[in-house]
Amino acid sequence: MARAFVADGEQLVAIMDEDERAVVTGLCRQVMDLVAPASVPTKGEPADPFEAIVAGLGDLATDTEDGAAGLEVPDRAFGLDHDRDPALDRLFPTGNREDEQEAAEFRRFTEQGLRQRKHQGLVTTVRTLETAEEDRWVVTRPQAPAVLVALTDIRLVMGERLGLRTDEDSTRLEELIETLDADDPAVFALSVYDFLTWLQESLTQALMGEDEQ
């Protein structure tokens, strides 16, 4: 069972088993593909089981007359639609919601740089996960800001896929989850989202010297 980040000198250490690290690593790689700037070529990766699970969330739209208790859940998996995937607008908010041309210009001048920084932060996170020993996920204090941003980016993409855009959406999804079988993909997806939220909060607290007791 995972244990929260705690400060150990200049290191912040969480305990996560191999399966837990594999899930986070897989999500990092999928978001890396989504945000990769033109100058960073992406290589084909083996299909990740979680990708299929997230793709299956589109089936929730037919579960009720209102479509997943009123939620609009896209049926795309991570990184499969690079033609302005809606998740990109969560990661790179427009600079001007009133003027589309000005927003496009703002995006043209700023987005590639942001993509590079986000991509590098995800790379850093993957490296720390892949070098874990004895289930110890070690993040140095200098690495922590990049890892926090990476976890935020993964949660933003998952939130878009799950249709979590407001507090009301979250409440409706929680209510829907209670009606589903424990082995339903949506139940697993939301548990992973909650796990990432806990990890992010844990890392923030450890970085600020407020380790969980």
Side-chain angles (χ1 to χ4, degrees):
M1 182 177 179
R3 297 213 303 265
F5 277 99
V6 295
D8 182 9
E10 287 302 300
Q11 296 181 333
L12 308 166
V13 184
I15 303 302
M16 288 171 56
D17 65 29
E18 184 177 358
D19 289 339
E20 291 164 336
R21 297 196 306 274
V23 168
V24 180
T25 300
L27 290 170
C28 283
R29 291 189 181 281
Q30 291 175 45
V31 179
M32 281 166 59
D33 284 347
L34 183 63
V35 305
S39 59
V40 179
T42 58
K43 299 180 180 179
E45 296 283 348
D48 191 292
F50 193 74
E51 186 171 281
I53 290 171
V54 177
L57 291 176
D59 297 336
L60 289 176
T62 61
D63 283 346
T64 68
E65 289 183 0
D66 294 328
L71 294 174
E72 295 180 3
V73 184
D75 61 359
R76 292 175 302 278
F78 286 120
L80 295 185
D81 181 4
H82 287 268
D83 186 19
R84 207 57 200 177
D85 188 310
L88 291 174
D89 290 328
R90 297 284 293 272
L91 295 170
F92 310 107
T94 181
N96 190 323
R97 297 184 182 277
E98 306 298 326
D99 188 324
E100 291 185 7
Q101 183 174 354
E102 185 173 324
E105 283 295 299
F106 177 82
R107 182 179 296 132
R108 185 166 70 89
F109 285 110
T110 63
E111 188 167 304
Q112 285 304 305
L114 288 172
R115 281 176 177 263
Q116 277 190 318
R117 288 194 289 276
K118 288 183 180 296
H119 188 275
Q120 186 55 50
L122 289 157
V123 169
T124 296
T125 303
V126 168
R127 286 174 178 165
T128 62
L129 285 161
E130 291 183 337
T131 56
E133 296 181 357
E134 298 181 350
D135 290 344
R136 287 166 50 89
W137 180 16
V138 177
V139 176
T140 66
R141 289 184 181 275
Q143 290 170 331
V147 174
L148 285 170
V149 171
L151 292 173
T152 296
D153 290 343
I154 295 170
R155 290 178 62 247
L156 284 172
V157 175
M158 286 196 72
E160 177 63 29
R161 298 294 188 257
L162 288 164
L164 298 177
R165 302 179 185 89
T166 67
D167 290 340
E168 290 76 14
D169 289 339
S170 180
T171 299
R172 287 197 294 272
L173 184 58
E174 292 279 2
E175 291 173 351
L176 175 64
I177 292 298
E178 292 179 0
T179 70
L180 301 176
D181 293 334
D183 59 354
D184 190 288
V187 176
F188 177 65
L190 188 61
S191 71
V192 171
Y193 182 86
D194 289 342
F195 178 67
L196 292 171
T197 302
W198 171 76
L199 267 181
Q200 187 178 36
E201 292 174 349
S202 162
L203 180 55
T204 300
Q205 290 170 347
L207 184 62
M208 297 176 64
E210 301 174 2
D211 296 354
E212 291 184 356
Q213 300 299 318

